[in-house]
Amino acid sequence: MEEFGTASAIAEAVRARRVSALEVVDAAIARIEARDPTLNAFVHRGFEQARQRAAAIDSRIGDGQDVGPLAGVPTAQKDLFNFYPGWPSTFGGIRPLRHFSLDLKTTYPQRMEDAGAVVLGITNSPVMGFRGTCDNPLFGPSRNPFNPDHNSGGSSGGAAAAVADGMLPIAGASDGGGSIRIPSSWCGTFGFQPSYGRVPMVMRPNAFAGVLPFVYEGPISRTVRDGALAMLALAGHNPADPFSVANDVDWLGALDRPVKTLKIGLATSLGGYPVDPRVAGAIGAAARGLEEAGMTVVPLDFALPCSHAELTNLWCRMMAGMMISVFDGFKAQGLDILGDFPDSIPTELAQWIDIARGLSRREVEADQELRSRAFDMLQGALYGVDMIACPTTACLPVKNALDGNTKGPSEIAGEPVNPLIGFCLTYLTNFCGNPAASLPAGLVDGLPVGLQLIGRRWADADLLAACAAFEAARPWQDSYAICAARPLA
């Protein structure tokens, strides 16, 4: 995509007929075919359908029609609760679902195509998105474009790898515990997780998602403007989602809002998480970039409502509850994945499912009460500041495993952590509904570090303004030269 620049530049050039949508899509396909064998970002390629769609966009432009703000922009959807007619959906590399598909389009591909984008395929994810790394027994790991020996982060790891490597300017991601932000941190991209309800999440058979943490959809991009452009397409009410809200944000206008009145609370440990000192140092340096952009940065001291390990386990129990309903749904249709294909499910996920099945009603209520304490803690921490700055992940990208089961570290700064998601300072917003973003904060030992900004509920415009100002003060585009120069398979 470097031939045509950012998504914003692509859309402008396609609308002005300086380049055709088909030329843009062909260039993206060529880059994917050349570069993806090293990274394993894509698990399905729908190139012929993409070419047909691009040709149709060119025809409509030739007839004088408005094709939308994302005219001709190549993108991809994630292999997790996203569907496209005729394309497989394996829920993150579950082997018996290799050929499973549904004859419908979910929110991301539908709204992006309605805005003129072209969906090229499906990107990799871990099984059920149940970890902060990207690996599974069917497709294997998605590798980091800055160093393919390392992982891209999860669960939207294929999406972030494809964007950082220049295959796509924007990719779709979902976030149940940090899955937009974690891979953005490890791949040096911009990941935006909006307030819950901004982008509809249509879930069935339980429209109210039971006792789940909030699950979001949002974009991963190389620039803040491209992320805002995607939100222009994605945000808006859908009556099928009981939590969906009307779009009242000027997503592009937010980029130019003044930020001099914004106060940022710097909380390097986010109330009690262990953080690699190298990551902490990079976040401290990035905080100075916020000041250079005109914002006020103050130290923010608060305490988690319990240990970070207890909060991590809370997330695992709650998310495993959703997995039960999914697997039980397949079993009711005659496909007993847990019973007949146990090797297709990581041991760690199976263990948490067993734990979740054994919870009493009172234990489920107690989990929601602990979640409520986490909610009160985060909202209280934001009292007096507009947003919180902290690491996105507490460690650098880990090396890929060889068995399809890459995990995070089991210890950080001398403290034990859950290797599934305990190294991620992200899932608090999934308990609480606040918007958050991950911004490239620089490199440590040649690998990206992410700066997370957590905003007040519904203050998405303030958050985007802060992100745009930081990008202007500390631009990161030159770092992608490292990805461009990496050896190809």
Side-chain angles (χ1 to χ4, degrees):
M1 290 332 322
E2 293 177 354
E3 294 93 333
F4 301 107
T6 64
S8 304
I10 289 170
E12 181 183 358
V14 169
R15 285 195 300 269
R17 303 182 70 178
R18 294 194 301 272
V19 64
S20 70
L22 184 57
E23 287 175 301
V24 172
V25 166
D26 279 339
I29 290 171
R31 288 185 68 80
I32 293 167
E33 290 177 333
R35 303 186 67 81
D36 192 46
T38 313
L39 298 186
N40 192 37
F42 279 82
V43 297
H44 177 76
R45 301 176 181 186
F47 292 165
E48 287 311 308
Q49 287 166 282
R51 287 187 171 109
Q52 293 169 11
R53 175 160 176 76
I57 289 171
D58 290 329
S59 178
R60 290 175 58 198
I61 291 174
D63 291 339
Q65 298 181 39
D66 180 7
V67 297
L70 287 163
V73 172
T75 189
Q77 67 188 58
K78 175 182 174 183
D79 183 23
L80 189 66
F81 300 105
N82 268 295
F83 305 103
Y84 198 102
W87 291 7
S89 182
T90 73
F91 291 73
I94 299 177
R95 197 175 300 277
L97 298 179
R98 183 64 185 89
H99 302 293
F100 175 79
S101 66
L102 291 178
D103 190 25
L104 60 88
K105 287 183 189 177
T106 41
T107 297
Y108 185 85
Q110 185 65 66
R111 290 197 168 184
M112 291 294 281
E113 286 192 343
D114 287 347
V118 181
V119 181
L120 270 65
I122 303 174
T123 58
N124 202 15
S125 170
V127 172
M128 300 299 287
F130 198 76
R131 63 183 60 203
T133 53
C134 188
D135 197 357
N136 61 65
L138 177 59
F139 300 116
S142 285
R143 303 177 189 92
N144 195 303
F146 283 83
N147 184 335
D149 290 337
H150 292 73
N151 197 259
S152 61
S155 65
S156 309
V163 169
D165 203 52
M167 300 182 218
L168 301 168
I170 300 173
S174 57
D175 190 314
S179 295
I180 294 171
R181 294 157 286 156
I182 298 163
S184 290
S185 173
W186 280 9
C187 289
T189 55
F190 174 62
F192 187 75
Q193 172 244 290
S195 293
Y196 188 67
R198 293 284 188 206
V199 179
M201 285 293 294
V202 179
M203 306 184 77
R204 294 296 185 274
N206 182 1
F208 295 90
V211 294
L212 276 181
F214 293 129
V215 180
Y216 308 82
E217 281 197 288
I220 292 175
S221 59
R222 282 188 169 194
T223 70
V224 177
R225 177 168 289 276
D226 280 357
L229 188 65
M231 286 302 301
L232 187 68
L234 295 172
H237 178 62
N238 182 336
D241 175 4
F243 298 106
S244 174
V245 298
N247 181 24
D248 59 359
V249 178
D250 180 359
W251 298 101
L252 294 178
L255 303 177
D256 299 319
R257 290 176 56 162
V259 298
K260 292 189 181 299
T261 62
L262 294 180
K263 182 185 290 186
I264 314 298
L266 177 61
T268 304
S269 72
L270 196 59
Y273 290 86
V275 176
D276 184 320
R278 297 171 296 173
V279 171
I283 296 304
R288 291 191 289 275
L290 294 168
E291 291 177 323
E292 292 164 11
M295 291 167 269
T296 301
V297 177
V298 298
L300 190 60
D301 186 22
F302 60 93
L304 296 172
C306 58
S307 72
H308 62 84
E310 289 176 283
L311 281 180
T312 300
N313 290 343
L314 171 64
W315 181 87
C316 289
R317 286 193 300 272
M318 294 177 71
M319 289 302 291
M322 182 192 73
M323 312 306 166
I324 292 171
S325 64
V326 173
F327 289 123
D328 284 355
F330 276 112
K331 186 176 180 178
Q333 298 175 45
L335 181 59
D336 186 0
I337 296 172
L338 295 176
D340 295 339
F341 303 94
D343 291 344
S344 67
I345 304 300
T347 301
E348 298 83 2
L349 173 55
Q351 291 171 340
W352 279 108
I353 287 174
D354 287 342
I355 290 170
R357 281 194 189 276
L359 294 176
S360 68
R361 181 180 179 88
R362 177 62 197 128
E363 286 171 323
V364 171
E365 291 175 349
D367 277 351
Q368 290 293 339
E369 290 166 4
L370 179 52
R371 177 185 185 176
S372 299
R373 289 166 58 199
F375 175 88
D376 291 342
M377 178 276 299
L378 186 60
Q379 310 318 316
L382 282 161
Y383 181 80
V385 297
D386 295 289
M387 58 196 75
I388 297 170
C390 64
T392 307
T393 60
C395 64
L396 298 174
V398 298
K399 287 193 173 182
N400 291 308
L402 301 177
D403 61 355
N405 196 27
T406 301
K407 297 188 286 287
S410 57
E411 181 181 292
I412 296 175
E415 288 192 48
V417 297
N418 183 320
L420 295 180
I421 199 171
F423 57 95
C424 306
L425 283 69
T426 49
Y427 54 77
L428 284 176
T429 65
N430 300 90
F431 290 153
C432 303
N434 295 62
S438 184
L439 297 142
L443 303 177
V444 173
D445 297 338
L447 294 167
V449 173
L451 168 68
Q452 182 175 214
L453 294 180
I454 301 172
R456 294 176 175 174
R457 284 170 59 87
W458 307 115
D460 300 68
D462 284 346
L463 178 59
L464 261 183
C467 292
F470 177 82
E471 181 185 27
R474 294 285 182 92
W476 56 76
Q477 305 305 316
D478 288 349
S479 69
Y480 297 128
I482 298 171
C483 306
R486 67 178 175 80
L488 300 181

